Structure formats: structure tokens, C-alpha cells
Amino acid sequence: MSQDDARIVIVGAGPVGLTLAYRLHVFGVPCLVLDENPAAPDDLRASTFHPPTLDMLDEYGLAAPLLEQGLAAPTWQIRMHETGARAVFDLSVIADKTRHPYRLQCEQFRLVRLLEERLASSGVVEIRRGFRVEAATQDDRGVTVRGVGPDGAAFSARGLVLVGADGAHSIVRRSMDFHLEGETYPETTVLATTPFRFEDHLEGLSNVNYVWRAGGTYSLLRLRDKWRCSLYPDPDETIEGMLQPEVIEKHLQRIVPKDTPYEVIDLRPYRVHMRIVEKYHLGRMVLAGDAAHINSPSGGMGMNGGVHDAFNLSEKLLQIWNGASLDLLDLYTRQRRPVAEEEILGQAHKNRARMQERNQDRREELLAEQQRIAGDPERARAAAAKLNDHRFGTGGGDTMTESYASFGRFGVGVPQSNPTVEAEFGIILPRTAPLHVTRLTSLAENPLDRLRAYLTDLPTYLSAYDGLKLAAFAFACTGSSYLVGAEEEAKIAEACAQRFGYPIALAADSIVWALEKLNAKNIAVIAPYPADLIKAGHDYLESRGIHIAALERVVTKTTDTRSIYLTGVADARAALERMPKTGLDAILVSGTGMPTLGAVDSRGLPPVISSNLCVAARALDLAGKSDALDALGLEPLGWRKRLDEAYGR
């Protein structure tokens, strides 16, 4: 094999491609970087670096020079323009988790320049600018790219693996015949950059601000000597009209009225996409960054996720260069694609959806909820920690959490013979939220005594986790709480949360929480319990202000609660068919042991919920992952798709 055949070829010399090249340089892996631009563009693209990205770059001395050129943003906020009311999130609450408890506002071209300077003397990395790749092919031994050089002459280059880090219009992706699947949002955003000092006129402004105004929205992101303003056309404005100087002036004057015109030093329109490829690689060709996934820029998720792609991929390429199988690229897809789909794209979508809300009452509710989160130390810490989440699978971390649990680790307590909870939780929770299961065991012969012991002995079960830090623990047994009672279960949950340092979601309490979300007071219950446990459940719910208007018992073979595990989704569906369809606020399918996911629908009329759905959603909520839930804060996003995938629907 020639020296050229053994190198990695990277198309794209942006932050993703050059980060990958720098890591390969450190590993001693030869690579060729091709980019059509004759020099690194200094335009204003991405400009937000998240804490984990800074930690990763800091491993190579790259964070400090960026800090010198940028502006730290220790807080960010969601704000009402007219009143100045705001929810301010302070990232210092995760100072024990990161060396950089802040966002850094710094243009991406500064990282590109820094990397290029460092690589200029590399003996293993060659950067060729002005080389436009037009096609790529592969064979059993390597890859070939062809294109046009800066002098107009054709060129070709060989390599072991080809990486497409060439952005949303990737020629490498096109050569793979892969397509970005998803949607493009109807609105166009205009990014206007101005040196005007908004901080002198808007009281309490952070360096990162997402703002509702009457009839619209805007955002303000501060760089060292300028502000980037994301503006949205009014309903009667075309994008062409929006780009006219007088229209941009009108929008900026809405933010801070002034007698003189604004100085606008850069103007950039862009469409907002939420798209991702089905697979990140084909043979010896592999994608990273925007070539694989593109998203709303809200929250700065795109570039950061791309840098994390590069860290992950670099370790796979090192092993392949040393003779390992190309199957490692399958692992890269399995590790990084769920993060992009569920966290990078998902988080960006939630950010956009929140700020696109136009109903003022709903805005007030959303702001109040964000203020509650920001004002609660535990929830604020969990929300801030989300900035560290999408480091999953980078290979650059030194903890198992960074490698396998970007969404957080969730504990779940499962009754000793229950076969249903793990299966349903595995579908309900995102793939990057691994379950750590403890079995609730008791030698009591009486099933009701057994259920009581599960809850009263909860500290013993939690002690088994030792030093494992959980985002939340879900106690997946409704019958225990029904028997112990609301007051006692609350005491147990509070004591355990204080002792072990993470929130506890109890199944029965989670049901009440979900019913409150649905504003449901008059409900029907479907349950597979024996008569005495049904009565205990009835009394529990009534004591919590829930009226049971109808009850349907799923008949089991014996009165032992273990017989519940012989029921199935068909039993739940049949019981639902027998339920009245009017006069109810909701229908509860109670019991974590009966499979129910195929029957529930919290969006139906009346909505149908289940024990497992409620306790899983409540655990997400308590862990600060409320943006992983639907508009009601009740259903984890994406679980229905995962259910369909699991059973080939």
C-alpha cells in the first residue's frame, strides 16, 4: 500500500474537518484535507461554544486562545421584551462538572484559523485549499476523489477512508447517494450584526438572550465587540423585502428605538432545517457535522455536535488505520446518530418551538415554568447540565457517563417478577438514557405485604447503586403507594432524595402529576389488581382529589399480583373498548406489570395514560429533561416511533 493509499482524506476545512485532522495529527495518522475555499472564510457563522466542547478543546490547549478572542457568557436568559421579565440560567451551577461553566461567544472562524496555524508544521496533515471535490468513488482498497484545483486543472487523490465534513451541501454525501431526511421550517431567519451596545439600553441583559416581543420574537447574542440579532419577517413580509435596509432598520428599532440609523455590518438570511441521514457511513465513506445532520441554529447545537462527531470518529479512524475493521464506522453511527436525532436536533427543535409561541397566555406560562426551573437549584443544575449531554460517545471523555449516557442515567425499581417495566422504559426513554435496574424483592408470602415492603425498604435498594450518580430514580410499582398511602410515600421519597442526592419518581404520585397536567379530575380506571388492591388504589386516588367515575378490572387467573404479568396489550385494549367515551377527563390503565404502551394515547379523547408512561415522564421531568416531553409535559418525544421500530410496525 502506498503512502497516499494509507491516509485519511477529509473534505471540508471548517471547524469539524480541522478538529478531526488535528486529532489525527496527534495520533500520527496521515491525512489530506481538501477545501474549495482559497482561504478560511471570516464570515459570521456559528459563534457559540458549549462547556463540553471547551473541555475537549482544552485537552490540546485550544480553549485558552479562543477565550482570549471571545466573550464568556456565564448566564443566558429567556425574556419578555415589553416588560423585561426574564428567566436567567446561571451555568456556574455545573462548575463541579466542567472546567468551563459558561458558553463562549466566539466566531467559528477563529477556531479554524487556530487549528490551521497549529497544523501548518504538521508532518502528517496536508491542507489543500482551493481544491473543489466534485465526485468520490470507493473500491475494496480505498477511496478516490476527483475535482478541480485552484488553477482550473483536474486533480484526483486516493486514501484509505473518505470523511465528508463538507457541510449541508456535502458532495461526499451526494456521492454516497444519501439524503438528509426531515423537514424545513416555513420561516426564514435574518441574522443582522451590529456594533450597537444593546447592553446599555436593555436592563439585565445576558450575553445570550432569547426574547419574545408582541407578535414575534428575536434573539440577541453578544460577541466581544458586536451583537448578532436573529430577526424574523412579519407575516406580510417576504424574505426579499426583509433584506431591504429600511425593513431591517424597522426590526432593529423595535428592539431599542433610537434617533440615528443602526450600523449593520453583516446581513445573512438562512432557512431553518431539521434533517439527518439514516446512516453515517457507506463502506469507506463517512459523514460528520452538517454533512450528516442540520438543525435550527437556536441554542448553538450544530457546530458543537459536529466537533463531538470529530472526536468520536477520530478514534475509530485511528483503529482502522492500524488495521481494525471498517465495522467500527457502524459503531460511530450507533453512538452519534441517536445523539444528533434525540438531543442535537431535538433540543434545537424545542428551542425553536418555544420561541415561536405567539399566544401571550401560553408565553406567560412558559416563562413562569422557566423561572421556576431557574429558581430551583436542583432543576437549574439539571437544566444547565444538558449543555454537557451531547458529548455521548466522543471517545474523548474519561467517564462511562460521557461514553454511554449523554441524556443521563436513570435508575428504576422493578418488582421482582415484573417482566414489563424494562421493556416499556427502554422504548419510552431516549436511547441515550440507559436504565440501571434494581429488583424490588421480598420474601413475604402475602402479596400485599410484599408490595408494602418494596416501598418501605426503598433506601436499601438505592444503597445498591453505591456511588453511581443517577439523573433520577423511578419506582415502578403503583400498588406499593396505594397501600402505604400518599402521606407516607411522600416522606419516603423526600428522605431518599435528600440522602442519595437525586430525585425520586413514585409511580402512583406520577399518575396524579400526569392527571394534573391533563387537568383531569373525573377519570375511569382499568386495573388488573385483586379486589383489595383495587380498593386501596381507589382510596389513594380519591385522597389526592381524583374522582373515579368508572372502573374496569382486567381479570387475572389468581389473586396473587404476579398473575398480572400474564396479561397483555390485548387485555388493555379490550378493557378500553368497554369504557364509556364521554363524560371522562381521562382513562388510567394502572399497573406497571401489564403491557400497555400499544393501547395508551394521552392525546386522545379522552386521553389514555398508563403507570409506566407516567412514572417515566415524571422521572424525565424531575431530572430537568422537560424539553424531552411533549407540549403537555406528559409524553416523552419519539417513544411512539421507537415502539413501532421495536415491533416492526
Side-chain angles (χ1 to χ4, degrees):
M1 181 183 292
S2 70
Q3 186 175 359
D4 285 355
D5 287 342
R7 67 190 173 185
I8 308 298
V9 178
I10 302 171
V11 181
V16 177
L18 289 183
T19 296
L20 176 60
Y22 192 82
R23 285 267 286 180
L24 295 176
H25 150 78
V26 171
F27 296 153
V29 177
C31 66
L32 169 66
V33 182
L34 302 168
D35 193 283
E36 64 180 344
N37 295 300
D42 61 358
D43 51 0
L44 293 169
R45 301 189 186 188
S47 62
T48 297
F49 291 85
H50 289 173
T53 308
L54 293 171
D55 286 348
M56 295 159 73
L57 296 174
D58 197 34
E59 296 174 19
Y60 303 102
L62 296 166
L66 292 176
L67 285 164
E68 292 174 0
Q69 301 175 71
L71 182 69
T75 67
W76 65 276
Q77 65 180 254
I78 300 170
R79 182 183 182 101
M80 290 287 189
H81 175 72
E82 287 77 14
T83 65
R86 52 195 176 272
V88 181
F89 293 87
D90 188 343
L91 298 180
S92 67
V93 296
I94 55 169
D96 62 330
K97 292 181 174 291
T98 173
R99 298 185 299 277
H100 304 87
Y102 42 78
R103 292 183 178 183
L104 176 66
Q105 296 302 109
C106 182
E107 303 93 325
Q108 74 171 42
F109 73 78
R110 299 189 187 277
L111 174 61
V112 170
R113 287 179 179 174
L114 180 60
L115 289 167
E116 238 176 312
E117 290 170 5
R118 296 280 184 93
L119 289 169
S121 58
S122 171
V124 294
V125 175
E126 179 186 2
I127 301 174
R128 296 184 194 172
R129 286 199 169 274
F131 285 78
R132 185 176 75 252
V133 173
E134 295 183 332
T137 57
Q138 60 181 312
D139 53 47
D140 291 342
R141 298 183 60 189
V143 295
T144 302
V145 295
R146 295 180 173 84
V148 178
D151 58 359
F155 79 91
S156 66
R158 286 279 295 175
L160 182 67
V161 174
L162 174 63
V163 180
D166 47 343
H169 303 289
S170 171
I171 186 64
V172 176
R173 187 182 66 241
R174 209 175 313 154
S175 298
M176 297 162 70
D177 197 27
F178 282 9
H179 304 280
L180 289 166
E181 304 294 341
E183 61 180 310
T184 299
Y185 293 127
E187 72 270 9
T188 297
T189 302
V190 176
L191 189 61
T193 304
T194 174
F196 181 75
R197 293 178 58 84
F198 288 103
E199 69 272 25
D200 294 340
H201 301 269
L202 297 174
E203 189 268 330
L205 213 56
S206 297
N207 291 339
V208 177
N209 311 269
Y210 303 100
V211 189
W212 284 303
R213 65 165 180 82
T217 184
Y218 65 90
S219 65
L220 293 175
L221 279 69
R222 186 182 179 187
L223 297 172
R224 185 161 262 205
D225 57 354
K226 59 183 77 76
W227 283 88
R228 305 183 75 184
C229 312
S230 292
L231 308 173
Y232 298 86
D234 291 340
D236 60 345
E237 291 174 345
T238 64
I239 185 57
E240 293 79 12
M242 178 73 179
L243 293 174
Q244 298 304 309
E246 64 274 13
V247 180
I248 293 296
E249 180 70 20
K250 177 187 73 174
H251 281 263
L252 292 173
Q253 288 284 347
R254 286 174 176 167
I255 301 174
V256 174
K258 64 191 192 83
D259 295 335
T260 57
Y262 278 83
E263 178 186 358
V264 178
I265 58 179
D266 187 77
L267 200 61
R268 181 183 301 276
Y270 58 86
R271 297 297 301 276
V272 177
H273 303 272
M274 296 293 287
R275 298 180 180 274
I276 189 171
V277 292
E278 185 63 31
K279 186 179 178 183
Y280 278 21
H281 90 98
L282 178 68
R284 296 177 180 273
M285 299 182 182
V286 60
L287 304 173
D290 284 356
H293 49 80
I294 54 175
N295 58 272
S296 163
S298 181
M301 305 297 289
M303 179 189 67
N304 288 273
V307 170
H308 299 188
D309 288 348
F311 266 68
N312 182 301
L313 181 57
S314 62
E315 293 202 351
K316 309 298 188 291
L317 294 177
L318 169 62
Q319 295 176 67
I320 291 170
W321 184 71
N322 281 319
S325 169
L326 289 170
D327 290 346
L328 282 171
L329 298 179
D330 284 324
L331 177 60
Y332 166 66
T333 293
R334 292 198 304 272
Q335 289 179 334
R336 289 304 300 170
R337 191 184 184 281
V339 178
E341 182 176 35
E342 297 172 3
E343 297 183 30
I344 299 173
L345 272 67
Q347 182 63 40
H349 174 77
K350 293 292 291 185
N351 292 341
R352 170 196 172 272
R354 179 176 57 217
M355 297 314 298
Q356 286 297 315
E357 177 61 57
R358 292 294 184 265
N359 181 277
Q360 187 59 29
D361 289 340
R362 179 60 180 149
R363 284 179 170 183
E364 296 285 354
E365 292 175 3
L366 289 169
L367 181 61
E369 173 61 15
Q370 295 301 310
Q371 289 172 327
R372 284 191 291 271
I373 294 172
D376 181 328
E378 185 123 348
R379 297 181 74 191
R381 178 179 168 82
K386 282 189 67 64
L387 287 176
N388 272 4
D389 280 351
H390 53 286
R391 189 175 175 174
F392 168 86
T394 62
D398 57 4
T399 69
M400 291 291 285
T401 296
E402 289 166 347
S403 297
Y404 298 112
S406 62
F407 203 77
R409 297 191 174 280
F410 287 79
V412 58
V414 184
Q416 54 199 32
S417 300
N418 186 313
T420 306
V421 172
E422 289 103 323
E424 294 201 340
F425 266 59
I427 292 168
I428 295 170
L429 295 182
R431 296 185 183 95
T432 48
L435 289 176
H436 300 274
V437 177
T438 182
R439 283 281 164 174
L440 309 174
T441 60
S442 171
L443 297 177
E445 293 184 7
N446 184 297
L448 301 189
D449 291 340
R450 196 164 58 229
L451 290 173
R452 290 188 186 94
Y454 292 161
L455 186 53
T456 56
D457 291 345
L458 182 56
T460 302
Y461 302 121
L462 296 180
S463 295
Y465 288 116
D466 193 32
L468 182 63
K469 182 63 176 176
L470 301 176
F473 177 83
F475 182 83
C477 183
T478 43
S480 298
S481 293
Y482 290 164
L483 292 167
V484 170
E487 184 176 346
E488 185 62 23
E489 71 160 353
K491 290 179 182 178
I492 293 171
E494 183 179 359
C496 287
Q498 290 181 358
R499 175 178 170 183
F500 295 100
Y502 42 80
I504 310 295
L506 300 177
D509 181 68
S510 299
I511 288 170
V512 175
W513 167 83
L515 291 172
E516 289 174 349
K517 289 277 186 181
L518 294 169
N519 196 28
K521 295 293 186 182
N522 190 58
I523 72 167
V525 175
I526 296 170
Y529 305 133
D532 42 7
L533 190 52
I534 282 183
K535 182 180 185 307
H538 175 279
D539 293 346
Y540 175 94
L541 292 171
E542 292 279 351
S543 75
R544 301 292 301 270
I546 307 298
H547 174 62
I548 299 176
L551 174 66
E552 179 73 27
R553 180 172 180 258
V554 175
V555 178
T556 56
K557 292 185 176 180
T558 72
T559 58
D560 192 312
T561 53
R562 293 188 184 97
S563 63
I564 294 170
Y565 309 142
L566 301 177
T567 60
V569 174
D571 296 298
R573 287 179 176 150
L576 281 170
E577 287 296 320
R578 297 190 292 271
M579 277 290 172
K581 299 300 186 290
T582 59
L584 296 174
D585 297 330
I587 299 174
L588 165 66
V589 185
S590 183
T592 62
M594 183 168 68
T596 57
L597 285 189
V600 303
D601 184 2
S602 71
R603 300 164 298 182
L605 291 175
V608 180
I609 60 175
S610 73
S611 297
N612 281 333
L613 183 66
C614 293
V615 70
R618 182 56 171 158
L620 288 170
D621 178 71
L622 290 172
K625 310 291 185 181
S626 56
D627 54 357
L629 304 172
D630 65 8
L632 282 172
L634 181 56
E635 283 207 15
L637 299 172
W639 78 263
R640 293 180 182 279
K641 178 182 177 183
R642 291 190 287 273
L643 179 67
D644 291 343
E645 290 173 349
Y647 294 99
R649 298 177 182 177

